[in-house]
Amino acid sequence: MREQWYTNKELFELINELQKDFQDLRSEMRQTREVIKKYNGLREELGQVRQEIDRIKAKTRGKQIVGDAIRNWGGWLFALITLLILLKNNL
C-alpha cells in the first residue's frame, strides 16, 4: 500500500499559502500596471515637450537666418536703390 505524501491538513495549509501568494502577486501586478500607465503617460508628455522644443528651435533658427540675410544683403539693397535714384535724377 502506498503512503500519502501529505496529510489532508498539510494539503489544505499548502493551498491556503498558495492562495495568499497569488493574492500578493495580483496586488504587485496591479501596482506594476499602474506604474506602467504612469510611465507611458510621462513618455507621451515628454514626446509633446520635445515637439514643442523642436518647433521653438526651428522658429528661432528661421528668425536668425532672416536676420543674417538682412544684415548680409541690406547694404547691397541700399546701394542698388541709391544707384537707381541717382540714375533717375541724372536723366
Side-chain angles (χ1 to χ4, degrees):
M1 184 175 214
R2 290 181 141 179
E3 291 183 33
Q4 283 187 321
W5 288 352
Y6 295 102
T7 65
N8 286 339
K9 181 181 177 183
E10 290 172 334
L11 287 173
F12 179 76
E13 290 172 355
L14 286 173
I15 290 171
N16 279 340
E17 286 294 320
L18 279 175
Q19 284 178 339
K20 289 177 187 175
D21 288 345
F22 279 127
Q23 287 174 349
D24 292 343
L25 181 61
R26 275 192 227 117
S27 174
E28 289 176 13
M29 288 176 68
R30 189 177 313 113
Q31 291 172 350
T32 302
R33 281 193 300 266
E34 289 173 9
V35 169
I36 289 171
K37 284 180 186 178
K38 287 179 184 177
Y39 173 78
N40 286 340
L42 289 175
R43 251 190 103 132
E44 184 176 312
E45 188 175 329
L46 177 63
Q48 291 172 352
V49 169
R50 281 185 178 170
Q51 287 177 348
E52 183 68 18
I53 289 171
D54 289 343
R55 189 184 64 77
I56 291 170
K57 282 182 180 179
K59 188 175 181 179
T60 302
R61 181 69 181 138
K63 286 179 181 180
Q64 184 180 12
I65 289 171
V66 168
D68 289 346
I70 290 171
R71 190 173 66 246
N72 291 336
W73 293 97
W76 286 102
L77 183 61
F78 180 74
L80 180 63
I81 291 172
T82 304
L83 178 64
L84 291 174
I85 290 173
L86 289 174
L87 287 174
K88 181 182 175 190
N89 287 341
N90 285 338
L91 292 178

